[in-house]
Amino acid sequence: MKRIAALILLASLSANAFAFDPFVVSDIRIDGLSRISAGTVFNYLPINKGDQLTNEGAQRAIRALYRTKFFSDVEFDREGSILVIKVVERPSIAKLTLRGNKDIKTDDLKKGLKEIGLSEGETFDRLALDNVQQELTRQYYNRGKYNVSVDPHVTQLDRNRVAVEIEVREGKAAKIKELNILGNHAFTDKQIRDGFESNTTNWMSWYSKDDQYSREKLSGDLEKLQSYYMDRGYADFGVDSTQVAIAPDKRAMYIDASIKEGEVYKVADVKLLGDLILPEATMRQLVFVKTGDTFNRGAIEASSKAIKGLLANIGYAYAKVTPIPKLDKEKRTVDLTMYVEPGQRVYVRRVVFQGNTRTEDNVLRREMRQLEGSWYSQAAVDRSKVRLQRLGYFKKVDIDKKLVPGTQDQVDVSVKVEEQSAGSMQFGIGYSQYSGIILNASVSQNNLFGTGDSFSISGERSTYYSRIGLSYYNPYLTDSGIGIGYSASYSKTDYGNTDFANYATSAKSFSSYLGIPISETDGLRVGLGISSNKVNLFSGYSPQVLLDYQNEIGNKTIHTWTGTLGWNHDTRNGYWAPTRGGLISASTDVALPGSTVQYWKLSTEINHYWPIGKGFVLYLDGQVGYGKTYGHNGISDDAFTALKDASLAQNPNHVITDMRQDLPFWQNYYAGGVRDVRGYQDQTLGPRVCIDGSTPNASGLCNGGYYAQPIGGSFKVLGTAQVFLPLPFLKDVNTARVSWFMDVGNVYKDYSSFNASDLRASTGLSLQWQAPIGPLIISFAVPLRTQAADRHYEERIQFTFGSQF
């Protein structure tokens, strides 16, 4: 076929080049150009003015112009000493459309087509279109879709243009009807096929698609099979043959893989050779295979990776570690040699940032732990990537290195980022089953003018709650990373509902704080704030215990100076959806002397993420909070005795208890809700009281038939276990993810009231989605450990959305 094409091309060239006597070209004229400029043609033409043109030279020139693929016809003519070149341009591609492709994304296909030379604006080449048809068919075959048809259609348009439409009929993937591993004796089929992506049709195939044949999947499974054996000592394991048969209807696949298990080998000796750089004793600590161990390829590869990582941390960025196993088949032993080639030690000449169109370079540079002019360190590069990811400004962060041309000891580090919106202006409506309809408006920017500073102003209003707030934070007040922040707010609450503690508040506050870094993962937060909070209680509606407390204090308006001290240890690897690492934090808020009520609150939290394989991530979280008052809180013992006597004189049946050591009720902890112990309404777990101070019955009802009001408590415990699930329809975990959870927790009047038997528990599924309107959380929860008095507050389905959350 190629010979015929070559003969046709030769005949064509001969026809387009007339026979003439050699002559000197005085000028060159090109006829037939419309889209391609004459300068472009002259660029490719191997003839210039003043050249002597021969028949052979004309043939070479015609071939050169054909090779550009700009022209479908080229003809040479002569007018005296003027060379006339007549061309017919190939049409340009005005429009390229793909229809019917589902398994391969359109953007991915167009990217591949462009590399072949088929894209909008390019010159149309019929041969390239034929290559595309063959390549697409091959790609679908690799995905097991043998019934695919790829039909290109070309429509002629005006001005020498064409519209190309590629219609794909994918068909259904061939299903694996049989998958046989032949020759396994040491392990069962179930053992060696555990983890295979390919499988015969089963009850989970609708979800996993594991019964759909794919050449890439099968190759990966055979590699896993080899690893399985070699990790268990079978150093001479091999796959002898693989046979794949397809049914006549191209809908069923039959796979047979014949293997040779071999024998189990022991490691007889381990040597480290080459230029070790570091003491051999140090390097041997990173070799995870010892003499006498069963041969394990996975451990050998991990050793190689660990040694390369160690060398990369001290400047040897291109180190190589080659494991060389020597098998003794008679003794069934392996002599292992780890050959180390450190290469040239390199330092970083320059750190270059790309893709940060909004964010200033210095914002990225201050997060970099790999410095210019210092030895290259892979650990510093990895840490820099984590710090950049945790800023929350970027969807993607890639860091690469490249040798500086002409040198062997210098590299440039390239940091490529893909920015995402770090700010928002929202006007919306949210809903919470606790707060009802939420109207909100907010303007926030976590990367203000690209400086890395954050600013927000927001206003919210719901059935019980209204608030307006303003905040600003500069994370780099100093070059050492000390940040400063300010916040101010005004809020009002009105819990005019007998299902909840019935009181109203009106609060104004202002605070300032410093963020002080201690290390790469640790930081302190120190703050000082002032607030004024007016608390209104309603006789006959508010619980008597709250009225008694306010009477003891003697003030409805509470003025507070608050000191804050916090510490956190953060090793999480991401901002929105971490998959490894954790957070340990502890903080205390103290109402300082001079406040209307003097109290302190201590809160601690420990959580961690673990990837547990196959896309699953385990998350554990534990929280404890405790608070208490100190000092006399504005009332002496004598004054309290007088207040008690006056109350007895007014109502002999009511006795005031001394609650001056209790945490103020407006500062109480609460439990229950979509972000707490799911399956229960927000803030409904813990102590509940009747309005008249009486004890509710076992069903939580008070005299009069109403439910006791939750009032919270000064001691809270909460534990959560979640497994984030890999779902095929949720590819981007930074946008949405689903988890199975179990929550355990409750709130107690004080520390001494804690009783593990009173803990509540629930389990269920949760969806967290970073929706355009703000974070959305939907949970379906089933209470596991509950009491009769909780039934009124149970909720199976809970959700919140809107910027408040």
Side-chain angles (χ1 to χ4, degrees):
M1 191 69 185
K2 291 183 177 178
R3 181 179 178 84
I4 294 173
L7 291 173
I8 293 172
L9 177 61
L10 180 62
S12 174
L13 294 177
S14 300
N16 291 340
F18 61 89
F20 53 80
D21 295 328
F23 71 100
V24 176
V25 178
S26 64
D27 199 3
I28 301 173
R29 190 178 81 231
I30 304 174
D31 294 341
L33 295 178
S34 60
R35 181 171 49 84
I36 300 169
S37 68
T40 300
V41 178
F42 285 130
N43 233 6
Y44 291 98
L45 188 67
I47 301 173
N48 296 308
K49 292 180 182 179
D51 290 349
Q52 186 176 30
L53 183 62
T54 64
N55 281 325
E56 292 78 9
Q59 297 287 356
R60 286 195 300 271
I62 290 175
R63 284 195 292 268
L65 292 180
Y66 270 116
R67 279 196 298 268
T68 65
K69 299 183 180 180
F70 294 155
F71 310 109
S72 60
D73 190 35
V74 179
E75 183 179 338
F76 276 25
D77 204 348
R78 174 181 175 181
E79 292 182 4
S81 61
I82 299 174
L83 173 63
V84 179
I85 303 175
K86 299 177 181 179
V87 298
V88 177
E89 293 182 352
R90 291 182 187 270
S92 65
I93 301 174
K95 187 176 182 181
L96 176 62
T97 307
L98 292 121
R99 291 195 299 112
N101 56 298
K102 298 177 182 177
D103 202 38
I104 305 177
K105 293 181 180 179
T106 298
D107 290 343
D108 294 338
L109 281 177
K110 285 191 173 182
K111 185 178 179 181
L113 295 179
K114 188 173 184 180
E115 293 175 356
I116 297 174
L118 198 68
S119 64
E120 293 180 359
E122 295 288 338
T123 302
F124 174 68
D125 184 355
R126 172 67 66 174
L127 182 59
L129 186 61
D130 294 339
N131 291 338
V132 165
Q133 185 177 11
Q134 296 173 13
E135 176 61 21
L136 286 180
T137 301
R138 185 189 66 81
Q139 289 191 30
Y140 277 102
Y141 276 9
N142 288 342
R143 286 167 166 77
K145 296 193 172 182
Y146 291 96
N147 285 313
V148 67
S149 65
V150 180
D151 299 317
H153 305 283
V154 180
T155 304
Q156 297 291 335
L157 303 177
D158 59 349
R159 301 198 307 275
N160 197 27
R161 299 176 305 150
V162 296
V164 178
E165 180 183 66
I166 300 176
E167 183 178 5
V168 180
R169 295 182 180 90
E170 293 184 341
K172 293 185 178 181
K175 300 294 181 67
I176 300 173
K177 295 301 181 182
E178 290 185 10
L179 176 56
N180 302 312
I181 308 296
L182 308 176
N184 57 303
H185 304 291
F187 305 102
T188 65
D189 284 358
K190 183 178 181 181
Q191 287 175 312
I192 61 178
R193 284 172 54 179
D194 183 41
F196 271 28
E197 292 186 44
S198 304
N199 201 356
T200 53
T201 303
N202 56 80
W203 70 278
M204 282 295 292
S205 294
W206 66 271
Y207 164 73
S208 62
K209 310 297 182 186
D210 57 355
D211 63 340
Q212 294 185 1
Y213 172 76
S214 165
R215 184 178 301 173
E216 285 83 359
K217 282 201 304 183
L218 180 59
S219 297
D221 290 338
L222 293 178
E223 177 61 31
K224 290 177 183 177
L225 180 61
Q226 186 177 34
S227 296
Y228 183 89
Y229 272 92
M230 287 195 164
D231 290 349
R232 289 159 176 80
Y234 293 84
D236 56 352
F237 171 86
V239 178
D240 288 341
S241 64
T242 304
Q243 295 181 350
V244 180
I246 184 169
D249 62 358
K250 298 182 179 181
R251 297 290 299 276
M253 306 294 295
Y254 302 88
I255 303 170
D256 291 329
S258 178
I259 66 173
K260 179 184 176 183
E261 290 184 328
E263 304 293 340
V264 176
Y265 284 73
K266 296 285 186 179
V267 178
D269 190 21
V270 180
K271 295 178 182 178
L272 284 171
L273 298 180
D275 187 1
L276 302 185
I277 301 297
L278 297 173
E280 183 174 342
T282 301
M283 303 291 266
R284 281 195 174 274
Q285 292 178 7
L286 301 178
V287 178
F288 308 125
V289 180
K290 310 299 180 185
T291 300
D293 290 353
T294 300
F295 179 84
N296 188 319
R297 188 176 74 170
I300 294 172
E301 291 175 349
S303 303
S304 176
K305 184 177 180 180
I307 294 173
K308 285 193 292 185
L310 177 62
L311 294 174
N313 289 342
I314 57 175
Y316 297 92
Y318 298 97
K320 296 180 181 179
V321 180
T322 307
I324 306 172
K326 183 179 179 181
L327 276 61
D328 186 331
K329 294 189 177 183
E330 291 184 2
K331 298 180 180 179
R332 297 178 187 173
T333 59
V334 177
D335 290 335
L336 178 63
T337 300
M338 307 286 286
Y339 191 78
V340 180
E341 299 174 87
Q344 181 71 41
R345 194 180 189 189
V346 298
Y347 66 89
V348 176
R349 182 187 70 162
R350 189 178 304 149
V351 177
V352 182
F353 301 101
Q354 301 175 17
N356 54 314
T357 56
R358 295 190 299 268
T359 308
E360 297 177 0
D361 274 11
N362 71 293
V363 174
L364 283 78
R365 194 171 296 277
R366 67 196 185 190
E367 302 298 332
M368 293 296 297
R369 293 306 177 254
Q370 175 63 70
L371 304 179
E372 294 178 346
S374 63
W375 294 117
Y376 179 88
S377 169
Q378 189 62 51
V381 169
D382 293 342
R383 183 60 192 169
S384 300
K385 182 176 181 178
V386 170
R387 290 180 65 90
L388 290 171
Q389 288 173 328
R390 281 170 44 184
L391 288 175
Y393 311 155
F394 311 114
K395 284 184 180 179
K396 188 177 181 181
V397 178
D398 291 318
I399 303 181
D400 198 7
K401 60 183 181 295
K402 187 177 181 180
L403 275 172
V404 176
T407 70
Q408 294 296 321
D409 63 347
Q410 298 180 49
V411 294
D412 286 339
V413 173
S414 173
V415 182
K416 296 181 181 180
V417 299
E418 182 182 345
E419 291 185 313
Q420 64 183 3
S421 177
S424 65
M425 179 180 293
Q426 294 184 350
F427 301 89
I429 299 176
Y431 182 81
S432 164
Q433 288 162 303
Y434 165 59
S435 300
I437 295 177
I438 306 163
L439 303 176
N440 64 72
S442 66
V443 177
S444 64
Q445 177 55 258
N446 292 329
N447 188 14
L448 187 63
F449 306 124
T451 63
D453 296 357
S454 60
F455 170 82
S456 70
I457 181 171
S458 62
E460 300 160 9
R461 183 174 179 82
S462 69
T463 305
Y464 308 118
Y465 178 74
S466 60
R467 180 183 182 277
I468 184 168
L470 180 71
S471 68
Y472 169 81
Y473 183 65
N474 175 4
Y476 276 85
L477 177 66
T478 68
D479 292 339
S480 61
I482 295 178
I484 189 168
Y486 307 94
S487 65
S489 68
Y490 174 74
S491 63
K492 294 179 70 174
T493 60
D494 184 0
Y495 298 102
N497 185 327
T498 56
D499 274 355
F500 301 96
N502 199 325
Y503 64 90
T505 66
S506 175
K508 302 179 286 289
S509 68
F510 174 82
S511 64
S512 179
Y513 55 92
L514 294 175
I516 305 171
I518 302 174
S519 68
E520 283 298 311
T521 57
D522 295 75
L524 288 177
R525 178 183 170 116
V526 180
L528 182 65
I530 185 173
S531 65
S532 176
N533 185 12
K534 185 176 182 180
V535 181
N536 289 317
L537 297 170
F538 312 103
S539 181
Y541 296 95
S542 300
Q544 187 62 44
V545 66
L546 305 188
L547 290 165
D548 290 346
Y549 191 99
Q550 190 173 70
N551 289 334
E552 289 185 32
I553 300 304
N555 291 283
K556 289 187 175 181
T557 301
I558 311 300
H559 300 287
T560 307
W561 288 91
T562 305
T564 300
L565 177 63
W567 165 80
N568 69 79
H569 174 75
D570 193 349
T571 60
R572 294 172 296 180
N573 68 337
Y575 181 73
W576 292 112
T579 57
R580 64 175 69 246
L583 174 68
I584 303 174
S585 65
S587 65
T588 182
D589 295 322
V590 181
L592 301 173
S595 303
T596 305
V597 181
Q598 298 167 194
Y599 63 88
W600 55 265
K601 294 177 72 175
L602 176 65
S603 300
T604 62
E605 179 177 7
I606 301 176
N607 62 50
H608 203 90
Y609 296 83
W610 291 274
I612 54 179
K614 299 183 179 181
F616 291 88
V617 177
L618 173 64
Y619 170 71
L620 298 179
D621 177 83
Q623 299 177 38
V624 176
Y626 183 51
K628 197 174 183 180
T629 59
Y630 68 96
H632 287 292
N633 290 315
I635 184 169
S636 65
D637 291 338
D638 292 340
F640 173 74
T641 300
L643 179 64
K644 184 177 180 179
D645 292 341
S647 177
L648 286 171
Q650 183 177 0
N651 184 1
N653 296 320
H654 174 60
V655 179
I656 294 180
T657 58
D658 190 351
M659 296 181 292
R660 287 174 294 165
Q661 298 305 309
D662 290 348
L663 188 67
F665 62 84
W666 59 89
Q667 289 291 336
N668 274 348
Y669 293 100
Y670 289 87
V674 72
R675 288 186 177 273
D676 208 289
V677 181
R678 286 159 280 198
Y680 299 92
Q681 295 181 31
D682 293 53
Q683 303 186 10
T684 58
L685 292 181
R688 303 185 185 108
V689 297
C690 297
I691 294 175
D692 59 3
S694 61
T695 301
N697 62 24
S699 299
L701 291 171
C702 300
N703 296 329
Y706 62 89
Y707 284 94
Q709 298 182 7
I711 61 170
S714 63
F715 182 60
K716 176 180 179 179
V717 291
L718 174 65
T720 295
Q722 289 194 106
V723 177
F724 293 98
L725 311 175
L727 299 178
F729 51 86
L730 293 178
K731 298 296 185 183
D732 185 3
V733 297
N734 290 308
T735 301
R737 56 182 183 173
V738 172
S739 66
W740 167 80
F741 65 83
M742 178 173 286
D743 296 332
V744 178
N746 209 341
V747 167
Y748 300 85
K749 180 179 182 297
D750 50 35
Y751 177 77
S752 61
S753 301
F754 173 78
N755 189 332
S757 63
D758 292 331
L759 289 171
R760 305 297 193 266
S762 63
T763 187
L765 296 174
S766 177
L767 166 68
Q768 298 97 42
W769 177 32
Q770 294 292 333
I773 60 172
L776 167 68
I777 301 175
I778 302 176
S779 296
F780 173 78
V782 177
L784 297 177
R785 190 173 184 180
T786 188
Q787 294 182 3
D790 301 325
R791 300 286 163 74
H792 177 66
Y793 300 101
E794 291 180 5
E795 285 182 336
R796 292 292 192 271
I797 298 177
Q798 298 174 301
F799 61 91
T800 62
F801 67 87
S803 64
Q804 180 181 0
F805 305 95

